Amino acid sequence: MKTFKLENEPKIETGFKTPDHYFENFSIKMMEQLPKNEPKVISIFQKRKTLIIAAAAVLVLALMIPILSPSSTDKKELDATALENYITYQSNVNQYDLINVLETEDINNIKTGIVLEDETIEDHLSVNSNLENLILE
């Protein structure tokens, strides 16, 4: 391989040349080309007022959301059927657990005077196929 010496190789001209006295008159020519009218000045305080008004509007809207939206946290009363179905289908709850949880007031509320005729009881027992289970309970 030949040794490459940068100083001995012919140099390529760049092709770009600046005209004579270009930088001496550059600032004068540039100032002549600029527009004469002054730019419009926008005050910072005017933008600040609109920002404050916008922030206040957002704050008011954020505070009004809980008031205007319908609340879904209303307590709903449990109906007796839903409660009975829940207790029936929960395998870990038995009658002894319910007896331990009941208070005397609840027991007194349960003791209502239900008058059943003999015919009603006979009809129920004749239709019910789990007669043995009822006798064992």
Side-chain angles (χ1 to χ4, degrees):
M1 236 186 187
K2 290 183 184 181
T3 58
F4 180 74
K5 294 184 181 179
L6 189 58
E7 293 86 21
N8 295 338
E9 295 294 322
K11 295 185 181 182
I12 300 173
E13 294 291 325
T14 61
F16 295 106
K17 293 184 181 180
T18 56
D20 296 333
H21 307 291
Y22 179 77
F23 290 108
E24 293 173 2
N25 298 327
F26 179 74
S27 62
I28 297 170
K29 288 180 183 177
M30 181 59 81
M31 291 305 285
E32 289 174 356
Q33 291 178 356
L34 289 176
K36 299 294 180 192
N37 51 357
E38 302 260 340
K40 183 179 176 183
V41 178
I42 299 174
S43 175
I44 295 175
F45 298 112
Q46 183 179 7
K47 285 186 179 180
R48 187 178 290 171
K49 283 183 183 178
T50 57
L51 287 175
I52 291 173
I53 292 172
V58 168
L59 181 66
V60 167
L61 286 175
L63 292 175
M64 292 298 289
I65 286 174
I67 295 171
L68 297 178
S69 67
S71 84
S72 62
T73 60
D74 295 336
K75 293 183 179 179
K76 295 182 180 178
E77 295 292 328
L78 286 177
D79 58 342
T81 309
L83 185 59
E84 183 178 343
N85 288 337
Y86 176 77
I87 292 173
T88 302
Y89 294 116
Q90 293 298 320
S91 63
N92 57 355
V93 177
N94 58 24
Q95 61 187 355
Y96 300 109
D97 292 336
L98 292 176
I99 291 171
N100 290 333
V101 174
L102 289 177
E103 296 176 1
T104 56
E105 182 180 329
D106 297 329
I107 295 172
N108 291 334
N109 288 337
I110 291 174
K111 293 180 183 177
T112 58
I114 298 176
V115 177
L116 295 176
E117 296 179 8
D118 292 335
E119 294 175 6
T120 310
I121 295 172
E122 287 176 6
D123 290 338
H124 181 71
L125 291 175
S126 65
V127 173
N128 194 355
S129 64
N130 293 334
L131 189 58
E132 293 177 5
N133 290 338
L134 290 175
I135 292 172
L136 293 176
E137 287 182 4

